[in-house]
Amino acid sequence: MQAQKLIETFNTRREDFWRKEHEKRRARTAGRVSPRNPIASDVNFDCAREMYYGVTNPLARRDPGIQGSERMADGKLAAAAARRYLEDLGFEVVDVETPIEAFKRDGRLVYTGIIDFALVFDGARVPVESKEVSDFVFEEIDSYEDLEHFWWTRKYRGQVLVYLLQRSAPEGILLLTCQGKLKPIQVVLDDHLDDAELALQLGEQVDAAVKAGTPPPFAKDPTTCRTCWAFGVICQPPIEEQGALFLDDPELLDRLRRRAQNLKSHQEYEADDKWIKSRLKATIPEAKLKAAKAKDFLMRAICGDFAVSIVKRFRSGYVVKDVEYAEVKIAGVAAAGKQEDVA
Amino acid sequence: MAAEVKPRATTATLEDQPPLAPLPDDIRKEETELQTVVRRTTMDALTMKDGITEKDVERMLAARLKIVQTMRLFALKLTQPEDWTLWRDNEGHVVATPRASAMLRVRPWFNVSVFNHRSMDGRPGEPTTSEIQKGDKKVTVLEMQCDVRLGTDILEGIPFSIRSDDQFIGRAAREERYGGPREQDLLSCLRTGLDKKAIAMAIGITKVPETELAAAGIDVKRCYKGSGYGSSSERSAGKVAEEGVPELAKALWDEIVRRTGGNVGEAKQVLVDITKRGPDPKKKDDKGFRGLDSHERFTQAWQVKLAEKALAVHEVFGDTPQGQ
């Protein structure tokens, strides 16, 4: 009974604590008189309008729930723990939670922000932005490109790039932390100059819009609005879907149906083929295969009424060139396998 | 598709995809024959056609009906069971209404635009807000309207409203213990609900009979349950009977009545006996369960199964009664 009472007290205090914290934060935000600018952590490649409302209507943003607040607080603790760990590993940590010198272009203030810390390495200061993420995000992200996977990790890209630009640093680190685990992600400015330039243009666009008092255009892709805090609260974007073409093509429809009917057989064939070839390759003495030259190695086998031959081949290496192409994805929508009903 | 219309092979490319609505004139020159039929069968087009005959009208309306039915079926098949809420009236008729998630799946496939979001008195981008007193609580009511266009058909002034004490307001409802729904939650909920309603109206899936949903391959057992399926508190506590449970429970009850020789009073006592349980010593403060006195109170299939097992070993009316 005592433990139960303790838990109830804990929950009540937790709610009170965060309510007061949010009130304090709101009072601070409301009392600000200094001009507001876009913040590096708010770079949103999908929607400049969201950035605009972040600057002009910060109080419209919903307070995070209790768990959200706790996660954010945990992020700060995780960043501090990561710093200490890096120091234990012998790195020199500098510029801890330092406001970046306001980023300006053509004399106009574009971004402000606070850098988590920098590491001194080979005589250079490498900016580091630390982010506490959940387990599945930690496992999923291994590179700058992987940050594209989640709408919230997309923002990390712009933030680090702005820091690199502001500090004229060629490289930086996005340090993912998760339950004590660390994963540094390399960010090379030269490899992502397009993104960096876009981030700057967004900042300038938002800054100009704030001064003019006119919000930038709505996001082009209405699906980005689904996760936006401003959607329906202060931003009412129209929804415009271009829809799909009706293809009045009986031959195409027949082929699509035949393709769907054969899909299972295709998958079974692929799985069997993979299993069989793997089993057959396992019968080859590895040393013999390695020693033999291409085409010199030939092994024959008989299994029931099947004849098998295994030959060593040589394949020249090649680099796949960058190319833009149209990818076609086909999905049946017949939930109960009644594909014939779909016109 | 009407038989008179000759199908034409189409080789659509990305360039053929129409841009955002409204469609520019040049696209209409490249439309498929099917699209031409759809466009020409609007009522306005019919009245303006020279020398139109009854047969023409019949053919065009039949074609239009076919298109509408195809679109509707296609829309249903794009959804998942969890995208629907079932409602049952007093006579047992069940209809399904789409949830916001259904519209998110469906809308990219239709040339649909939702625009001109405004308050009820026309202020752009703002909801109409009012407060009403409900007992000792103040309830906030938010209202908004918008227009929707599907192809060339426009519906104007579609209204939608939510109340802060509504049951179906998504995340807002879950925040009750933290001081009720927040203003921002209600606002985004209003917008989501309005878009959902507008798109559902445009596509024609505002209310769908349960049977039609099932025919489209949707597993209706997995749909959310609304009015007609127990009280709201029972629903939120997961106490609403699973599909098929009433039938199982009735079969069990009939068996008990048979075993008691038609003595309903005795059958009720047997039902209590086979559903009650004593306190679990492993659980602190567990008071046990005193049993069900009516088969209508079964809500889960496992409860019926346990009762069947208990009936089989009942000391008087079981499969091998005492003394045999």
Side-chain angles (χ1 to χ4, degrees):
Chain A
M1 288 299 278
Q2 204 173 10
Q4 183 60 35
K5 200 173 171 186
L6 187 147
I7 291 168
E8 283 165 14
T9 310
F10 163 75
N11 282 330
T12 311
R13 289 186 185 177
R14 191 172 162 228
E15 288 164 26
D16 290 345
F17 175 79
W18 285 112
R19 194 173 297 126
K20 282 175 191 165
E21 286 296 305
H22 293 150
E23 280 167 12
K24 274 192 244 172
R25 188 180 60 82
R26 285 185 165 273
R28 273 200 309 272
T29 308
R32 273 186 63 171
V33 288
S34 57
R36 294 188 173 92
N37 287 91
I39 304 167
S41 59
D42 285 345
V43 176
N44 186 341
F45 290 119
D46 298 321
C47 182
R49 201 175 177 102
E50 186 266 340
M51 292 172 66
Y52 169 86
Y53 285 128
V55 174
T56 58
N57 296 60
L59 291 174
R61 195 188 287 257
R62 179 178 50 226
D63 289 329
I66 290 179
Q67 287 185 353
S69 307
E70 287 170 342
R71 268 202 307 274
M72 286 162 73
D74 186 47
K76 285 181 185 170
L77 294 175
R83 280 201 311 269
R84 281 197 299 275
Y85 184 37
L86 288 166
E87 282 171 338
D88 290 346
L89 294 177
F91 288 101
E92 187 184 349
V93 178
V94 294
D95 300 341
V96 177
E97 292 184 11
T98 310
I100 62 168
E101 196 178 311
F103 190 94
K104 289 181 181 177
R105 191 155 79 162
D106 301 332
R108 291 171 62 182
L109 186 62
V110 184
Y111 282 113
T112 56
I114 296 176
I115 193 165
D116 275 344
F117 57 93
L119 292 176
V120 180
F121 191 71
D122 280 351
R125 291 188 173 206
V126 181
V128 179
E129 176 58 30
S130 169
K131 297 286 182 195
E132 171 79 358
V133 294
S134 53
D135 208 34
F136 73 97
V137 176
F138 189 83
E139 295 302 327
E140 187 75 27
I141 292 176
D142 292 308
S143 66
Y144 177 90
E145 285 71 25
D146 292 342
L147 294 168
E148 180 69 23
H149 288 194
F150 307 101
W151 63 265
W152 64 95
T153 58
R154 274 184 227 144
K155 286 189 166 187
Y156 302 168
R157 298 173 305 174
Q159 185 177 6
V160 178
L161 288 173
V162 168
Y163 293 156
L164 296 184
L165 285 169
Q166 191 273 339
R167 299 199 145 214
S168 301
E171 289 181 281
I173 295 288
L174 176 67
L175 186 64
L176 299 182
T177 64
C178 173
Q179 298 166 4
K181 296 177 286 186
L182 302 187
K183 187 192 273 185
I185 307 287
Q186 183 187 23
V187 182
V188 181
L189 183 59
D190 273 354
D191 292 349
H192 308 291
L193 280 177
D194 287 350
D195 280 355
E197 179 58 28
L198 182 58
L200 287 189
Q201 284 175 7
L202 279 167
E204 287 169 338
Q205 188 187 358
V206 172
D207 184 53
V210 171
K211 286 188 171 61
T214 314
F218 293 111
K220 284 181 186 167
D221 180 1
T223 54
T224 60
C225 301
R226 285 158 54 177
T227 51
C228 180
W229 61 271
F231 179 71
V233 180
I234 45 172
C235 185
Q236 305 289 357
I239 293 170
E240 295 204 2
E241 299 285 4
Q242 65 178 18
L245 288 176
F246 268 94
L247 299 181
D248 188 16
D249 185 343
E251 190 184 351
L252 176 64
L253 183 56
D254 278 348
R255 292 277 182 142
L256 281 167
R257 285 175 176 161
R258 206 168 76 188
R259 178 183 178 277
Q261 282 165 1
N262 292 334
L263 182 63
K264 200 177 173 194
S265 303
H266 170 73
Q267 287 169 337
E268 284 173 0
Y269 172 84
E270 289 287 328
D272 287 343
D273 187 61
K274 197 174 172 187
W275 187 89
I276 290 165
K277 285 177 177 168
S278 156
R279 181 80 147 224
L280 286 170
K281 282 177 187 172
T283 62
I284 307 170
E286 203 172 323
K288 201 176 167 187
L289 180 70
K290 214 168 185 180
K293 287 182 180 174
K295 291 185 185 175
D296 285 352
F297 179 88
L298 172 64
M299 193 184 102
R300 291 196 173 90
I302 296 170
C303 183
D305 48 0
F306 291 91
V308 178
S309 58
I310 304 172
V311 184
K312 185 174 177 179
R313 300 276 189 209
F314 173 78
R315 182 167 54 210
S316 305
Y318 62 94
V319 177
V320 179
K321 288 182 180 172
D322 294 347
V323 64
E324 289 182 348
Y325 64 102
E327 185 186 20
V328 178
K329 287 184 180 176
I330 301 168
V333 292
K338 295 175 187 169
Q339 193 115 12
E340 65 279 6
D341 288 347
V342 183
Chain B
M1 195 68 213
E4 291 87 342
V5 180
K6 189 184 166 193
R8 192 185 72 182
T10 306
T11 50
T13 67
L14 287 177
E15 285 71 32
D16 293 334
Q17 191 77 356
L20 296 179
L23 296 171
D25 292 340
D26 58 343
I27 287 294
R28 288 184 183 153
K29 290 173 192 162
E30 296 170 15
E31 68 193 3
T32 64
E33 194 146 355
L34 195 63
Q35 287 169 320
T36 311
V37 172
V38 175
R39 187 170 54 76
R40 289 184 184 167
T41 51
T42 60
M43 290 300 177
D44 284 351
L46 284 177
T47 56
M48 290 163 71
K49 192 171 165 64
D50 287 336
I52 191 163
T53 65
E54 271 186 31
K55 202 170 180 183
D56 288 336
V57 174
E58 194 178 319
R59 183 175 68 81
M60 289 178 178
L61 290 180
R64 188 165 176 78
L65 179 64
K66 180 69 180 169
I67 298 295
V68 170
Q69 286 172 341
T70 303
M71 284 171 68
R72 184 180 163 95
L73 182 62
F74 186 79
L76 297 185
K77 289 190 174 191
L78 284 169
T79 63
Q80 298 289 324
E82 292 78 8
D83 296 331
W84 297 89
T85 304
L86 300 181
W87 309 86
R88 183 157 55 194
D89 69 12
N90 291 339
E91 294 176 7
H93 301 130
V94 179
V95 292
T97 56
R99 298 165 73 88
S101 57
M103 291 306 113
L104 292 175
R105 284 186 217 281
V106 169
R107 77 180 200 207
W109 297 90
F110 292 86
N111 180 209
V112 64
S113 306
V114 187
F115 52 101
N116 206 3
H117 295 80
R118 57 195 187 276
S119 65
M120 302 313 284
D121 57 359
R123 281 172 290 120
E126 284 181 40
T128 301
T129 309
S130 57
E131 278 191 344
I132 56 173
Q133 197 73 28
K134 186 182 172 188
D136 57 348
K137 270 186 173 178
K138 273 190 178 170
V139 175
T140 308
V141 181
L142 299 175
E143 295 171 277
M144 211 174 190
Q145 58 178 332
C146 70
D147 305 333
V148 62
R149 176 176 52 217
L150 179 70
T152 53
D153 296 336
I154 295 181
L155 296 171
E156 288 181 350
I158 296 165
F160 186 72
S161 68
I162 59 165
R163 294 159 51 115
S164 57
D165 62 345
D166 272 349
Q167 187 190 350
F168 292 95
I169 47 175
R171 173 174 29 197
R174 294 202 297 271
E175 298 290 331
E176 191 60 46
R177 60 176 291 200
Y178 305 132
R182 291 168 290 192
E183 185 194 352
Q184 293 96 332
D185 285 330
L186 289 174
L187 287 166
S188 58
C189 191
L190 174 74
R191 171 62 202 259
T192 309
L194 177 57
D195 289 348
K196 179 203 76 177
K197 183 180 176 182
I199 296 168
M201 284 177 75
I203 298 173
I205 55 170
T206 315
K207 281 183 183 171
V208 179
E210 183 193 29
T211 48
E212 191 179 344
L213 210 57
I218 305 292
D219 181 4
V220 290
K221 287 180 190 170
R222 284 165 52 202
C223 296
Y224 283 90
K225 308 285 192 303
S227 174
Y229 292 88
S231 68
S232 59
S233 54
E234 284 171 338
R235 284 195 297 274
S236 56
K239 288 182 180 171
V240 175
E242 283 177 28
E243 203 67 29
V245 169
E247 290 77 19
L248 286 174
K250 179 71 170 53
L252 173 67
W253 173 249
D254 289 345
E255 176 62 16
I256 297 169
V257 173
R258 188 187 67 78
R259 291 188 186 206
T260 56
N263 185 334
V264 175
E266 203 158 21
K268 272 193 177 179
Q269 187 53 50
V270 172
L271 182 62
V272 171
D273 289 346
I274 63 175
T275 53
K276 74 179 178 187
R277 65 169 179 81
D280 185 346
K282 291 177 187 168
K283 293 181 184 169
K284 200 177 177 188
D285 291 335
D286 184 38
K287 292 171 185 167
F289 182 61
R290 62 183 177 184
L292 299 175
D293 57 3
S294 164
H295 67 277
E296 290 172 354
R297 294 182 61 196
F298 281 105
T299 58
Q300 307 288 321
W302 61 266
Q303 293 172 329
V304 183
K305 295 285 174 205
L306 278 182
E308 282 172 352
K309 281 184 185 172
L311 178 63
V313 296
H314 192 273
E315 59 183 14
V316 180
F317 297 103
D319 294 343
T320 51
Q322 213 173 35
Q324 285 187 15

